[in-house]
Amino acid sequence: ERFDYDFSLVDKDNVFKYVTNSEARTEMNKSNTIIFFGTNTSDWVNYYAKILNEIAKECGIETIYYYDFIQDRKDSNGTYESIVEKLNNYITTDDQGKKNIYAPTLVVMKNSEIIYYDDETSSIKGNLTPETYWNDYQTGITKSTLRTVFKEYLG
């Protein structure tokens, strides 16, 4: 219920379940899971969560785990670092060689393999706003992609 309070564009009836860092790590060790990494201070996460919730409900996804990792990233705690290690082949490396998760990021795992990783809107060039980026065209592409990924996940 809290999710719609933190993310104003998401309906009260949503698929998101908050998890802690250790719960997120546990989920990533399961064979099938969907985890959405974000922060409630980002409009980009708010827009992505709206689309994600809509398509998940449409496809019959019951739960997407939501992990607000920002404080854990600042603290560089061991649990966060183990999640980063699990995502080693997908995450961004900065100029100092530090690997980090950025928001929003979506990870879909099936049979213990990552079948989808999306952090496209976690770093944007220029003055692009979420309102401008998430036009009908881009929203349509993302919805179509998510439908395909969720069908594979459920199939």
Side-chain angles (χ1 to χ4, degrees):
E1 290 182 14
R2 172 176 129 206
F3 199 87
D4 68 306
Y5 176 78
D6 288 343
F7 298 95
S8 62
L9 298 177
V10 178
D11 297 335
K12 185 173 184 154
D13 177 28
N14 63 72
V15 298
F16 298 102
K17 178 183 179 188
Y18 282 84
V19 291
T20 64
N21 56 7
S22 60
E23 291 168 327
R25 183 180 60 190
T26 299
E27 280 303 313
M28 294 202 66
N29 289 325
K30 293 183 178 177
S31 66
N32 298 329
T33 195
I34 303 171
I35 302 178
F36 184 48
F37 296 85
T39 176
N40 64 6
T41 59
S42 169
D43 286 338
W44 289 95
V45 174
N46 198 4
Y47 274 80
Y48 196 102
K50 177 184 185 282
I51 295 166
L52 187 55
N53 184 58
E54 179 184 328
I55 301 306
K57 287 171 43 178
E58 175 187 307
C59 292
I61 300 292
E62 294 180 9
T63 304
I64 294 177
Y65 297 98
Y66 173 75
Y67 169 41
D68 187 328
F69 62 91
I70 296 301
Q71 189 60 50
D72 291 332
R73 184 176 72 190
K74 286 179 188 171
D75 296 342
S76 288
N77 77 29
T79 305
Y80 169 80
E81 294 300 328
S82 69
I83 293 169
V84 167
E85 183 59 33
K86 178 89 171 170
L87 299 172
N88 187 42
N89 293 331
Y90 300 91
I91 60 176
T92 302
T93 305
D94 68 17
D95 355 5
Q96 284 85 38
K98 177 77 173 150
K99 294 180 183 244
N100 271 311
I101 302 167
Y102 295 94
T105 294
L106 177 66
V107 175
V108 180
M109 296 180 67
K110 182 174 182 174
N111 299 324
S112 301
E113 298 291 325
I114 295 172
I115 62 168
Y116 186 68
Y117 181 91
D118 180 24
D119 67 351
E120 179 182 341
T121 59
S122 67
S123 81
I124 298 295
K125 293 180 174 117
N127 293 325
L128 194 59
T129 64
E131 296 87 358
T132 305
Y133 179 86
W134 289 113
N135 57 40
D136 290 342
Y137 175 76
Q138 189 59 49
T139 298
I141 289 172
T142 300
K143 286 180 176 182
S144 178
T145 301
L146 288 172
R147 280 186 194 100
T148 301
V149 169
F150 289 159
K151 284 178 185 173
E152 181 180 344
Y153 174 80
L154 292 169

